[in-house]
Amino acid sequence: MKLQIKDFAELTGVSVRTLHYYDEIGLLKPSEVDDCSGYRYYDSSCLDRMREILFYRELDFSLKSIAQILSSPDYDKEQALRKQRQLLVLKKNRLEKLIAAIDSAEKGDFEMNNDYEKTRKQYADEARERWGDTEAYKESEQRTANYTPTDWNDLSEGMDAIMAGFAEMKAEGVAPDDERARLQVEMLKQFITERMYTCTDDIIAGLGQMYVADERFTKNIDSHGEGTAEYISDCIKSYCS
């Protein structure tokens, strides 16, 4: 396969301008550049790399992160595909829940949880008292200041989907030190970092302890299955060790 940039852009659904930019930052280089005309050409290996780029973009990874992932010396494409499938399943589950909520609303069966905002405020007040002077808390306050009820609901749904993923792995007998468990912890860290504050290893370690030390968190997480909170705590402990 040998395609000019315009044809390659049409095939992959991106703009020529985007391909020029990817070339400029070294994310996706053409397989060949004509010395006389300057035309860029792309082959099948370029197509494979573009598919990986598009996948990670769909998962909201930054271009810098994608470049680091794909250029990592220990990058295993087959393993990445397995991880990608797990991420897609989690995303699919979350979307199905959102669709079900919309369907219920259209039928007039949807009910707002009146305790949600009260509970969220309670947690916010406690968090302010406990961590108000920390950089993470200040960052979270700043980033969520303009969140709408829909934004908070999306945040809740996202966390719920991640916790459900842990519960599924526990039910399957996945060990806390398994690679799948590590990936799930990384997903939790990334979600928190993207939606609230920069989640460092020290912070995620503290959260793992809190999930089992605070009975309210334990009860909420264990709604996905008894022992889920303890399992997540063990996964985080293994991840940080």
Side-chain angles (χ1 to χ4, degrees):
M1 184 186 85
K2 182 178 178 180
L3 297 175
Q4 289 190 13
I5 190 169
K6 181 180 179 181
D7 298 324
F8 188 75
E10 291 179 355
L11 177 65
T12 57
V14 301
S15 67
V16 170
R17 189 174 185 177
T18 295
L19 291 174
H20 279 293
Y21 182 64
Y22 284 0
D23 183 9
E24 180 183 336
I25 64 176
L27 182 59
L28 176 63
K29 292 285 188 181
S31 58
E32 179 184 337
V33 178
D34 189 288
D35 292 334
C36 297
S37 64
Y39 288 164
R40 293 172 169 86
Y41 294 94
Y42 296 81
D43 60 12
S44 56
S45 64
C46 295
L47 181 60
D48 286 342
R49 186 173 176 88
M50 175 56 83
R51 285 170 176 161
E52 294 178 280
I53 292 170
L54 292 175
F55 176 81
Y56 285 112
R57 288 297 291 147
E58 178 66 21
L59 296 176
D60 296 326
F61 280 86
S62 68
L63 295 180
K64 181 179 179 180
S65 295
I66 295 172
Q68 291 173 342
I69 291 170
L70 299 183
S71 62
S72 174
D74 59 351
Y75 179 69
D76 185 328
K77 187 173 181 179
E78 290 186 4
Q79 184 183 62
L81 287 173
R82 291 194 295 271
K83 292 180 178 180
Q84 290 168 1
R85 184 183 185 282
Q86 182 185 2
L87 291 172
L88 283 174
V89 169
L90 289 171
K91 188 170 185 178
K92 169 178 169 288
N93 291 341
R94 180 174 179 271
L95 289 174
E96 286 178 346
K97 287 183 177 180
L98 291 174
I99 291 171
I102 291 172
D103 289 343
S104 295
E106 289 178 346
K107 295 175 183 177
D109 298 331
F110 182 73
E111 293 183 6
M112 291 295 292
N113 183 355
N114 295 328
D115 293 331
Y116 174 74
E117 186 62 28
K118 184 189 299 182
T119 303
R120 187 182 71 77
K121 186 178 184 303
Q122 178 186 349
Y123 284 168
D125 290 342
E126 291 178 2
R128 185 179 296 107
E129 182 178 347
R130 186 181 300 184
W131 297 296
D133 293 330
T134 66
E135 289 302 317
Y137 184 83
K138 293 174 183 176
E139 181 183 356
S140 177
E141 284 281 275
Q142 186 176 42
R143 292 174 63 179
T144 62
N146 296 319
Y147 269 23
T148 65
T150 300
D151 292 327
W152 285 111
N153 185 66
D154 287 346
L155 177 62
S156 178
E157 289 278 357
M159 287 294 289
D160 190 59
I162 293 173
M163 298 303 173
F166 277 112
E168 290 173 7
M169 287 192 295
K170 178 181 180 298
E172 293 172 13
V174 177
D177 61 353
D178 187 269
E179 177 63 21
R180 287 179 59 190
R182 180 178 180 82
L183 174 63
Q184 193 74 1
V185 174
E186 288 180 354
M187 185 185 302
L188 175 60
K189 281 184 62 182
Q190 180 186 336
F191 183 83
I192 294 172
T193 297
E194 290 177 350
R195 300 298 184 95
M196 291 177 284
Y197 52 81
T198 303
C199 188
T200 64
D201 284 355
D202 286 341
I203 289 177
I204 197 68
L207 290 174
Q209 296 172 5
M210 185 172 65
Y211 290 161
V212 292
D214 190 318
E215 62 180 14
R216 293 167 303 177
F217 280 94
T218 303
K219 182 179 179 181
N220 182 51
I221 296 172
D222 279 0
S223 65
H224 297 286
E226 187 175 353
T228 300
E230 184 176 359
Y231 175 74
I232 296 175
S233 181
D234 289 341
C235 290
I236 293 175
K237 188 183 302 181
S238 176
Y239 175 90
C240 294
S241 64

